[in-house]
Amino acid sequence: MTSEYDLINKYFYRSVPHHESTECGIGDDAAIISIPSHQQLVISLDTFIENIHFPPGTPVEDIGFKSLAVNLSDMAAMGAVPMWATLSVTLPVADETWLHKFSKGFFDLANQYSVELIGGDLCHGPLSITVQIQGVIEKGKTLFRKGAVEGDLVYVTGNLGDAGLGLTLLQSRHKENNHTRYLLNRLYRPIPRVEAGQALVGIANSLIDISDGIATDLKYILQASQVGAIVNLDKLPISEAFDKLAGKDRFKYALTSGDDYELCFTVSRDKQSELENRFKSICPITCIGRVTGDKKLQFIDSQGEDYKLDKTGYQHFL
Ligand code: ADP
Ligand code: MG
């Protein structure tokens, strides 16, 4: 039987990327990194459990990809540059096919963002994956949930609702075509908006990533900033596939379904043209509303009428 040491070496040790500031990576009892005095360390961790964080049958490569993607999204949501990760994998059996696919998905994304895996753990037990990520940011430059001010414009990157609709498709019998493939890919392989997060430093007033749906996550910005917002439903950015397949539940998905990992941020009006210029070469962004002073989150439909969110099944909201 292959030893734990051999499995770690084979599936998790990689010599590149290697950051100069990594004093010690995989192979000793702990990793050591040095941070220049003008930077701060930004740290986040997420655990992945089957049936809770990913549906059974999720391709194993995608589990590896997404377990890092959600962590990269948290770095993006602070404006930080991701640098290192540690990884804990608990597996019912030391299944090398599984480890091979998982590490392929993980390193596909890690290499794209030059994230160095510097340590972790490998255990026997019910399937569970935990990734901790460490990034850096110039001192004092971090973007927080707090910081939105009355009059700010509310923006989101990319499209909303794709991943939630993808999950619903998965749970129903669906025809395979370009649209359903696109939506499932959005669920399995979210694009962390790392470049976008960094580009917002010095421009945005507040920032969060959308993991639980814009209605929930924008509310976190509003609560932290002690303000409110008006969101125009006809401005919500949706994909062609979503438009074709979401049907009458389109607003429910676009507002409350999770797993999109887009960014939501607020910016003062006088920075709007700088923002739009900067993002031409980064990713699509859409202004969906504005920040108000009354501490309420209000949705307005195309007729200018108040839209009440149906809260059944979404108890985590409000
Ligand atoms: P210890 O018994 O001291 O905890 P381990 O055998 O668990 O040591 O780990 C040996 C080395 O391999 C350590 O540097 C550890 O960080 C690294 N490591 C273990 N599992 C993983 C993993 N899944 N991914 C990356 N590095 C790992
Ligand atoms: Mg260990």
Side-chain angles (χ1 to χ4, degrees), residues 6-309:
D6 289 334
L7 292 175
I8 293 167
N9 245 345
K10 196 162 162 191
Y11 297 110
F12 297 115
Y13 175 76
R14 299 283 188 279
S15 53
V16 284
H18 177 72
H19 299 303
E20 231 175 70
S21 39
T22 313
E23 302 267 331
C24 175
I26 292 177
D28 216 306
D29 295 308
I32 304 183
I33 51 182
S34 308
I35 307 295
S37 60
H38 60 94
Q39 290 181 331
Q40 289 174 308
L41 194 58
V42 185
I43 304 162
S44 178
L45 173 149
D46 271 299
T47 293
F48 251 58
I49 310 251
E50 192 169 35
N51 276 318
I52 298 176
H53 303 102
F54 59 91
T58 300
V60 178
E61 267 187 41
D62 294 340
I63 298 174
F65 184 98
K66 192 167 174 180
S67 64
L68 180 61
V70 302
N71 279 276
L72 286 172
S73 179
D74 283 322
M75 291 291 105
M78 304 299 280
V81 182
M83 296 284 286
W84 304 275
T86 51
L87 164 69
S88 175
V89 177
T90 305
L91 276 182
V93 283
D95 177 345
E96 290 211 40
T97 310
W98 193 97
L99 283 165
H100 172 77
K101 290 181 178 163
F102 176 89
S103 66
K104 173 154 191 338
F106 184 93
F107 284 112
D108 276 353
L109 189 59
N111 292 339
Q112 198 180 324
Y113 289 101
S114 295
V115 168
E116 184 181 359
L117 184 63
I118 53 169
D121 207 6
L122 191 58
C123 300
H124 281 184
L127 180 61
S128 163
I129 297 123
T130 299
V131 177
Q132 192 201 43
I133 193 152
Q134 295 93 26
V136 293
I137 193 157
E138 296 302 302
K139 267 188 183 161
K141 297 281 187 199
T142 311
L143 288 166
F144 296 100
R145 296 174 179 190
K146 66 174 188 238
V149 290
E150 187 176 351
D152 274 5
L153 301 170
V154 180
Y155 272 85
V156 291
T157 60
N159 292 317
L160 302 177
D162 286 345
L165 187 56
L167 182 61
T168 302
L169 287 176
L170 206 61
Q171 291 159 344
S172 58
R173 287 158 61 121
H174 67 273
K175 277 196 231 109
E176 219 192 285
N177 57 39
N178 283 347
H179 290 325
T180 57
R181 266 192 296 273
Y182 163 85
L183 294 168
L184 283 180
N185 193 54
R186 290 274 289 152
L187 173 68
Y188 288 146
R189 293 211 164 212
I191 303 164
R193 297 295 191 184
V194 176
E195 300 86 352
Q198 288 164 32
L200 289 170
V201 171
I203 293 190
N205 285 336
S206 63
L207 172 61
I208 193 168
D209 67 326
I210 309 174
S211 51
D212 294 329
I214 181 86
T216 297
D217 293 313
L218 174 56
K219 213 156 177 119
Y220 291 137
I221 285 190
L222 304 180
Q223 281 164 352
S225 308
Q226 293 286 297
V227 289
I230 293 178
V231 169
N232 300 95
L233 296 184
D234 55 353
K235 299 271 174 60
L236 295 176
I238 54 167
S239 66
E240 194 193 327
F242 182 96
D243 191 32
K244 283 263 164 17
L245 298 176
K248 65 177 174 34
D249 285 333
R250 57 209 307 109
F251 292 134
K252 189 185 86 179
Y253 282 112
L255 293 171
T256 66
S257 70
D259 266 15
D260 281 325
Y261 297 100
E262 297 294 349
L263 297 179
C264 173
F265 56 96
T266 74
V267 62
S268 69
R269 276 171 202 276
D270 56 359
K271 297 259 175 79
Q272 187 175 21
S273 56
E274 187 186 353
L275 170 80
E276 303 235 343
N277 279 335
R278 192 177 284 192
F279 269 75
K280 274 182 192 144
S281 58
I282 300 177
C283 71
I285 51 171
T286 310
C287 180
I288 60 166
R290 63 187 164 82
V291 175
T292 60
D294 66 0
K295 298 190 187 172
K296 279 193 311 221
L297 175 53
Q298 204 185 340
F299 300 104
I300 303 279
D301 67 18
S302 53
Q303 321 296 318
E305 300 287 326
D306 241 344
Y307 173 84
K308 287 272 172 275
L309 252 185

